[in-house]
C-alpha cells in the first residue's frame, strides 16, 4: 500500500469501505448540493412567489404540502368536511395520510418544532432508501452501476424532497424495502410494510396490482423458479391485505365524517382548481381530461392530446419490455413500474405534481447506470442536477401559479 499513489490509495479505500459509509458520503454530498440550490431559490424568490422576497431555507422546506402535514399533526382530521361557498367539499386534511405527519411530530418534540422533525424524518428516510436501492440493484447490475444509480437517485431532479416536509422519502423507504422483500421471496415482512406504505401516502393499491402480476409471473415460471404452496398463500393473502389497506383510509374518513364519499370528494377538490368539475371519480378520466386540457392550452387541440397520451402509454410499455438496460433490472422491478404506471393512469389528473408522483418509479434509474462509459454517467448526473435546479427554481423561487405546484 505504501508504494501506491495517493489517488490509488483513496480509490482502494473507497472500494473497501462499508456500503453504508459509501452511500452515506454520496447522499450527504447530494444533500449539500440541494441545500445550496434551495438557498439560491430562496434568494431569488420575489413578491410574485408564494414565499415572498424574504424567503428562507426554513420557509421553503415547510412550504406547499408540508403545511398540510403540519396541520394534520397539530389539528388532526375534521369530523365535519369543510365546504366551499358553492357547497362543495373544500380542500382539507383527509387528502394526507397520517404516518409522516405524526412521526415528524414525535421526532420534532425534543426540538420544539414539527418542521425540524419533518426534515429529520425525510433526510434519514432518504438515506435509508438509497441504501436499500443499492442492495436491490447490486445483484442485477453489480456494485459500480448500483452505486451510480444511488448517485442519480440522491441527486435527481426531485431530490429536494429528501429534505423538505413531504412524505415521499418515507414512502420510498417502505416501498424499496417491500420490493426488496419480494425480490428475495421474504414475503413475511410485507404484512408490516404494506400498512406502513398505505398510511404514509397513496399508492399501496398499485402494490396490490404488482403482487397480482408477480404471482402470475411466478406461476408461469414455476418450472424454473420453484413456487411453493407457502409462497402462493403469502402472495394471495398479501394481495388481499394490500387492497384492504388501500381502501381503509376511505373507510376511516367515512366513519369519522359520516360521509361515505369523504376521501374521494376531498381528493377531487384539488381537481376543481383546474375548472374540470371534480363531481365524481371515474377511472382514467383524469388523464383523458388532462390530455385535452393541456394540449388545448398549448394551442394543439384535444385530438393531439389524446394521440400523445396513447403514444406515451405505448412508449412506456415498450420501454419496460424491450430496452436492454431496463431488462437488466429484472422482472419484479419492471412489473412494479408497470403497476404504478397503471395506477397513475387510473386515478391521477396530470399537472405539475406528476413529476413528484413519478418518484416511486425510481428503481428505473438503475437502467441509466448500466452503460459503463464515464462520459455517459457524468452526463446523466449533470442532467439530474440541471433538472433538480429547474424543479427547485420553478416550484419554490417562482411558485406563483397553480401550474407550479410541487
Amino acid at each position: 500500500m505504501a508504494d501506491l499513489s495517493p489517488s490509488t490509495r483513496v480509490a482502494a479505500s473507497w472500494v473497501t469501505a462499508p456500503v453504508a459509509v459509501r452511500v452515506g458520503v454520496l447522499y450527504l454530498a447530494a444533500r449539500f448540493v440541494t441545500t445550496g440550490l434551495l438557498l439560491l431559490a430562496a434568494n431569488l424568490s420575489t413578491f410574485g412567489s408564494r414565499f415572498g422576497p424574504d424567503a428562507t431555507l426554513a420557509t421553503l422546506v415547510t412550504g406547499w404540502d408540508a403545511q398540510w402535514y403540519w396541520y394534520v399533526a397539530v389539528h388532526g382530521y375534521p369530523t365535519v368536511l369543510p365546504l366551499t361557498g358553492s357547497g362543495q367539499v373544500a380542500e382539507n386534511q383527509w387528502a394526507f395520510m397520517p404516518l409522516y405527519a405524526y412521526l415528524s411530530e414525535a421526532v420534532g418534540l425534543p426540538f420544539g418544532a414539527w418542521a425540524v422533525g419533518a426534515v429529520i424524518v425525510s433526510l434519514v428516510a432518504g438515506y435509508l432508501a438509497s441504501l436499500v436501492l443499492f442492495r436491490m440493484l447490486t445483484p442485477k447490475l453489480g456494485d459500480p452501476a448500483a452505486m451510480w444509480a444511488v448517485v442519480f437517485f440522491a441527486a435527481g431532479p426531485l431530490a429536494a424532497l429528501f429534505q423538505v416536509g413531504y412524505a415521499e422519502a418515507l414512502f420510498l423507504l417502505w416501498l424499496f424495502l417491500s420490493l426488496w422483500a419480494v425480490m428475495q421471496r421474504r414475503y413475511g415482512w410485507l404484512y408490516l410494510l404494506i400498512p406502513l406504505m398505505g398510511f404514509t401516502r397513496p399508492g399501496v393499491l398499485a402494490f396490490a396490482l404488482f403482487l397480482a402480476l408477480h404471482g402470475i409471473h411466478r406461476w408461469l415460471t414455476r418450472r424454473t423458479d420453484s413456487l411453493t404452496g407457502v409462497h402462493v398463500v403469502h402472495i394471495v393473502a398479501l394481495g388481499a391485505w394490500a387492497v384492504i389497506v388501500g381502501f381503509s383510509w376511505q373507510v376511516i374518513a367515512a366513519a369519522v365524517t359520516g360521509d361515505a364519499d369523504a376521501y374521494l370528494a376531498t381528493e377531487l377538490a384539488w381537481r376543481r382548481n383546474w375548472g374540470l368539475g371534480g363531481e365524481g371519480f371515474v377511472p382514467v378520466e383524469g388523464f383523458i381530461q388532462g390530455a385535452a386540457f393541456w394540449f388545448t392550452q398549448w394551442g394543439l387541440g384535444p385530438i393531439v392530446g389524446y394521440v400523445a397520451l396513447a403514444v406515451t402509454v405505448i412508449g412506456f410499455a415498450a420501454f419496460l419490455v424491450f430496452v436492454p438496460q431496463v431488462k437488466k433490472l429484472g422482472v419484479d422491478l419492471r412489473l412494479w413500474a408497470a403497476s404504478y404506471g397503471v395506477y397513475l393512469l387510473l386515478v391521477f389528473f396530470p399537472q405539475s405534481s406528476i413529476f413528484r408522483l413519478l418518484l416511486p418509479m425510481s428503481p428505473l434509474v438503475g437502467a441509466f447506470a448500466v452503460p459503463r462509459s464515464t462520459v455517459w454517467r457524468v452526463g446523466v448526473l449533470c442532467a439530474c442536477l440541471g433538472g433538480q435546479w429547474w424543479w427547485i427554481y420553478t416550484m419554490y423561487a417562482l411558485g406563483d401559479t397553480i401550474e407550479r405546484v410541487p
Side-chain angles (χ1 to χ4, degrees), residues 201-212:
R201 66 174 301 280
V204 75
L205 288 175
F207 200 81
L209 175 58
F210 162 67
L211 286 172

Side-chain angles (χ1 to χ4, degrees), residues 79-114:
T79 57
V80 177
L81 293 174
L83 302 178
T84 65
S86 60
Q88 297 172 304
V89 174
E91 299 169 351
N92 65 84
Q93 302 97 290
W94 284 109
F96 301 89
M97 306 304 180
L99 184 55
Y100 177 77
Y102 291 127
L103 179 60
S104 297
E105 175 72 5
V107 173
L109 277 177
F111 306 96
W114 178 89

Side-chain angles (χ1 to χ4, degrees), residues 330-375:
V331 172
D332 286 323
L333 294 182
R334 289 186 291 150
L335 288 178
W336 161 249
S339 301
Y340 189 72
V342 169
Y343 168 78
L344 283 185
L345 187 64
L346 289 172
V347 305
F348 189 61
F349 170 78
Q351 28 85 4
S352 58
S353 294
I354 188 67
F355 300 107
R356 174 171 57 85
L357 268 68
L358 289 174
L359 263 182
M361 292 189 184
S362 291
L364 294 179
V365 300
F368 295 92
V370 170
R372 296 184 178 182
S373 166
T374 301
V375 173

Side-chain angles (χ1 to χ4, degrees), residues 51-373:
F51 298 99
D54 299 321
T56 65
L57 182 62
T59 57
L60 264 56
V61 301
T62 56
W64 295 111
D65 284 1
Q67 288 292 309
W68 282 108
Y69 286 112
W70 167 81
Y71 201 77
V72 167
V74 174
H75 300 287
Y77 294 89
T79 57
V80 177
L81 293 174
L83 302 178
T84 65
S86 60
Q88 297 172 304
V89 174
E91 299 169 351
N92 65 84
Q93 302 97 290
W94 284 109
F96 301 89
M97 306 304 180
L99 184 55
Y100 177 77
Y102 291 127
L103 179 60
S104 297
E105 175 72 5
V107 173
L109 277 177
F111 306 96
W114 178 89
V116 175
V119 172
I120 291 173
V121 171
S122 292
L123 281 170
V124 173
Y127 163 67
L128 294 176
S130 300
L131 190 58
V132 177
L133 180 66
F134 176 84
R135 295 296 190 188
M136 273 199 303
L137 295 180
T138 300
K140 304 293 182 181
L141 308 180
D143 186 302
M147 196 61 73
W148 271 101
V150 168
V151 172
F152 300 155
F153 173 69
L158 279 293
L161 291 170
F162 298 142
Q163 54 194 86
V164 299
Y166 272 67
E168 266 65 23
L170 187 61
F171 181 82
L172 289 177
L173 174 59
W174 307 139
L175 172 64
F176 289 179
L177 285 170
S178 299
L179 292 171
W180 193 24
V182 171
M183 292 167 70
Q184 293 188 316
R185 310 300 191 246
R186 300 178 68 177
Y187 297 109
W189 286 102
L190 295 176
Y191 292 99
L192 172 63
L193 290 168
I194 284 173
L196 289 175
M197 277 194 289
F199 291 102
T200 298
R201 66 174 301 280
V204 75
L205 288 175
F207 200 81
L209 175 58
F210 162 67
L211 286 172
L213 296 178
H214 169 77
I216 292 171
H217 178 262
R218 289 213 59 191
W219 175 261
L220 294 175
T221 59
R222 64 190 183 278
R223 293 183 178 177
T224 56
D225 181 10
S226 179
L227 178 61
T228 66
V230 172
H231 283 183
V232 171
V233 171
H234 276 312
I235 293 170
V236 173
L238 287 165
W241 180 227
V243 171
I244 292 170
V245 171
F247 285 106
S248 64
W249 191 241
Q250 296 184 39
V251 174
I252 293 170
V256 172
T257 63
D259 185 342
D261 200 35
Y263 175 71
L264 287 179
T266 297
E267 288 285 4
L268 291 172
W270 268 267
R271 192 176 297 184
R272 282 198 301 271
N273 291 330
W274 300 88
L276 297 174
E279 302 305 322
F281 172 71
V282 178
V284 191
E285 182 184 48
F287 260 91
I288 293 174
Q289 288 180 331
F293 175 84
W294 287 112
F295 279 82
T296 298
Q297 293 289 310
W298 298 332
L300 298 173
I303 300 301
V304 177
Y306 300 144
V307 172
L309 175 59
V311 169
T312 300
V313 171
I314 295 171
F316 181 64
F319 174 75
L320 294 179
V321 173
F322 298 114
V323 175
Q325 291 83 356
V326 179
K327 291 170 69 174
K328 286 182 69 68
L329 300 178
V331 172
D332 286 323
L333 294 182
R334 289 186 291 150
L335 288 178
W336 161 249
S339 301
Y340 189 72
V342 169
Y343 168 78
L344 283 185
L345 187 64
L346 289 172
V347 305
F348 189 61
F349 170 78
Q351 28 85 4
S352 58
S353 294
I354 188 67
F355 300 107
R356 174 171 57 85
L357 268 68
L358 289 174
L359 263 182
M361 292 189 184
S362 291
L364 294 179
V365 300
F368 295 92
V370 170
R372 296 184 178 182
S373 166

Side-chain angles (χ1 to χ4, degrees), residues 16-63:
T16 57
V19 169
V21 172
R22 287 190 285 152
V23 170
V25 169
L26 295 173
Y27 183 76
L28 286 176
R31 301 287 60 77
F32 178 81
V33 172
T34 299
T35 300
L37 296 179
L38 286 169
L39 287 170
L40 179 57
N43 187 60
L44 294 175
S45 180
T46 66
F47 285 105
S49 168
R50 67 181 287 139
F51 298 99
D54 299 321
T56 65
L57 182 62
T59 57
L60 264 56
V61 301
T62 56

